[in-house]
Structure formats: structure tokens, C-alpha cells
């Protein structure tokens, strides 16, 4: 099953695209696993996800922590800490 | 209080009219005793900034502000609540965000508006990018630790 990944702000700029559909390899169970796998996909990902701890994640448009399981996620968004208001 | 308050939430590119939004909440009612509004504006940072570009996550922005507003309605006896957040390019002096909280008494209205803003800052999916007045590329505004701490003070002890 393919999963839609969406990027915002400097995560989007560094990866070089606003979104993509990916087929997650088996063994990617949590948000932390996903970040680790993405980081290995090339220089632009390495650059965007250099400090995974600062990356905020939403699954199906709700904030989640890095230990959250990603099974069944349709849409996973990665972004920096928010600066609205 | 008759019926549950349904917060009005709008994510929009266009400007808003603060007086019109207050009137919209209070029109035809005689039970509201307090209206607190907070407006957030774009600063020029002593002339260094020519604009802010606000990026947002369509869909989640509405959903997340909706969750924060629902919590405010649950925690304080509000009679009306409006939250408007703009996106796109915003020039210094222009509006960015508006919270209007109406209640019988001032304390609930003050606290709910304060809570809304603290949570919007750290949980609503918006990101500000600076456009510099000298034409050089501005960076993304960095999140402040103080904003996270401001949101944390509203946490209930059971959280």
C-alpha cells in the first residue's frame, strides 16, 4: 500500500518537493523508523532530516509523537516546529 | 447557557474586519457581558522586514484549530468564539490572526482567548518565512521555546 508523504516549510524546501507517494518497506513500524528510512534516501533527505528530534509529524492530519505506529496511515506530514499565530 | 457553542473557524488569504467579527458574535443577544479580542499583526522589525509569507497545511490547519477551540469551549463558559488565521503574503501592519471570545463575565473570555493564542502558536500548522526589506533572502522564523512553555502552563495536572 502506498503512503502519501507531505512536507512543509524548510523540510519541503530541503527535500525539494511538496509531497510524494512512497511504498514503505517492511519493518517500518513507527514514525522514528520512517524518519530513519527517509534519511537514507539521498542527500536532500539527509539534509532535511539531519536532526530528526526537531521534526514534527502528523498522521492523517493529527499531531503524533515519534513512537507512534504508522500502520494504516493514509497521509503522513513532516514539518518543522510551528510558528503561526 | 442555551446549547453548546459552535466555534467559527476560518483559514483565509483575505483580511478580516475586527469590528464586524465582534458584531457578528453579539448581534441580537443581550446575555453576553464580555468580549475579548486578540489581533496578531505583522511587525516590520525596525524596517528590516518587507513581508511575512505564511505557509499552512490545508485541512489540518482547520482541524487542529477546531480541536483547540473545542477544548476552550469545554473549559470555559463561552457564549461565542471566533478564530481567523490568514495565510499567504502579509505586509507589515496587516492582520495575521484574530481570536474573539464572548462570555457572561470577563475572566472566562480573557482566559479562553489567552489559551487559544498559546495553543495556536505551538500547535496550529502554520510556518512564517521572512521577506527582507533589502531584498536578501529571509529565513524561516524559528519557533520559540517560550511559546511552548506558554502552552504548557494550560496543561491539566492529569495530562
Amino acid at each position: 500500500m502506498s503512503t502519501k508523504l507531505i512536507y512543509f516549510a524548510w523540510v519541503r524546501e530541503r527535500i525539494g518537493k511538496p509531497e510524494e507517494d512512497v511504498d514503505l518497506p517492511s519493518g517500518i513500524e513507527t514514525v522514528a523508523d520512517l524518519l530513519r528510512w527517509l534519511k537514507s534516501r539521498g542527500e536532500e533527505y539527509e539534509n532535511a532530516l539531519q536532526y530528526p528530534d526537531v521534526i514534527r509529524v502528523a498522521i492523517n492530519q493529527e499531531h503524533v509523537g515519534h513512537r507512534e505506529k504508522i500502520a494504516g496511515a493514509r497521509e503522513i506530514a513532516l514539518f518543522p516546529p510551528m510558528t503561526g499565530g | 447557557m442555551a446549547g453548546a457553542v459552535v466555534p467559527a473557524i476560518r483559514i483565509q488569504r483575505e483580511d478580516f474586519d475586527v469590528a464586524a467579527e465582534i458584531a457578528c458574535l453579539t448581534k441580537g443577544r443581550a446575555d453576553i457581558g464580555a468580549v475579548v479580542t486578540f489581533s496578531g499583526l505583522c511587525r516590520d522589525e525596525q524596517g528590516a522586514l518587507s513581508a511575512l509569507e505564511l505557509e499552512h497545511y490545508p485541512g489540518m490547519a482547520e482541524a487542529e484549530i477546531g480541536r483547540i477551540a473545542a477544548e476552550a469551549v469545554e473549559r470555559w463558559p463561552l457564549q461565542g468564539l471566533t478564530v481567523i488565521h490568514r495565510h499567504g503574503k502579509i505586509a507589515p501592519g496587516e492582520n495575521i490572526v484574530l481570536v474573539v471570545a464572548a462570555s457572561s463575565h470577563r475572566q472566562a473570555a480573557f482566559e479562553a482567548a489567552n489559551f487559544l493564542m498559546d495553543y495556536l502558536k505551538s500547535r496550529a500548522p502554520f510556518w512564517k518565512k521572512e521577506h527582507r526589506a533589502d531584498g536578501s533572502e529571509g529565513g524561516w522564523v524559528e519557533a520559540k521555546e517560550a511559546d511552548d512553555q506558554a502552552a504548557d502552563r494550560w496543561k491539566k495536572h492529569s495530562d
Side-chain angles (χ1 to χ4, degrees):
Chain A
M1 195 189 81
S2 98
T3 307
K4 185 181 189 181
L5 300 180
I6 312 183
Y7 312 121
F8 291 100
W10 54 253
V11 175
R12 170 180 55 72
E13 288 181 343
R14 290 179 192 175
I15 290 177
K17 54 185 131 183
E19 58 178 73
E20 61 185 318
D21 289 309
V22 296
D23 289 309
L24 299 176
S26 59
I28 308 292
E29 289 182 3
T30 65
V31 167
D33 294 340
L34 171 70
L35 293 176
R36 208 160 27 238
W37 173 71
L38 274 176
K39 210 174 145 187
S40 72
R41 292 178 82 210
E43 204 180 325
E44 62 275 34
Y45 293 91
E46 168 74 38
N47 187 19
L49 308 175
Q50 192 178 4
Y51 302 103
D53 288 353
V54 309
I55 304 293
R56 304 297 175 92
V57 179
I59 293 183
N60 301 339
Q61 307 197 344
E62 281 200 56
H63 292 297
V64 294
H66 286 197
R67 280 179 295 188
E68 189 79 13
K69 294 258 196 298
I70 59 174
R74 299 182 306 277
E75 184 174 301
I76 305 178
L78 275 57
F79 42 81
M82 291 141 283
T83 54
Chain B
M1 200 171 66
V5 166
V6 179
I9 291 152
R10 303 209 306 271
I11 310 298
Q12 62 188 38
R13 193 173 278 278
E14 316 81 69
D15 195 11
F16 48 79
D17 178 338
V18 179
E21 297 302 332
I22 296 171
C24 188
L25 273 191
T26 56
K27 196 179 170 196
R29 302 183 62 153
D31 58 334
I32 292 173
V35 176
V36 167
T37 69
F38 174 85
S39 312
L41 286 77
C42 176
R43 288 186 299 266
D44 74 351
E45 305 290 2
Q46 291 84 44
L49 200 78
S50 68
L52 279 178
E53 184 101 38
L54 273 103
E55 179 169 333
H56 76 301
Y57 184 174
M60 181 171 169
E62 289 85 348
E64 187 63 25
I65 293 178
R67 287 187 278 269
I68 299 166
E71 189 175 341
V73 165
E74 200 175 288
R75 288 176 71 167
W76 288 278
L78 300 179
Q79 287 160 318
L81 180 60
T82 300
V83 183
I84 302 175
H85 205 308
R86 294 181 65 197
H87 61 86
K89 204 168 176 180
I90 294 177
E94 283 188 47
N95 292 317
I96 299 175
V97 65
L98 175 70
V99 171
V100 187
S103 186
S104 298
H105 301 286
R106 71 180 187 285
Q107 214 56 38
F110 271 128
E111 285 182 15
N114 206 358
F115 165 85
L116 250 304
M117 280 312 303
D118 282 346
Y119 267 67
L120 280 181
K121 285 256 170 203
S122 56
R123 295 190 64 89
F126 288 82
W127 301 271
K128 292 186 182 114
K129 189 173 197 175
E130 294 181 336
H131 289 259
R132 317 291 299 176
D134 63 8
S136 65
E137 194 181 335
W140 292 94
V141 172
E142 276 196 50
K144 294 191 189 79
E145 178 79 12
D147 287 335
D148 275 340
Q149 286 165 1
D152 281 348
R153 73 197 161 107
W154 297 101
K155 278 195 179 146
K156 295 173 189 162
H157 293 300
S158 57
D159 285 351

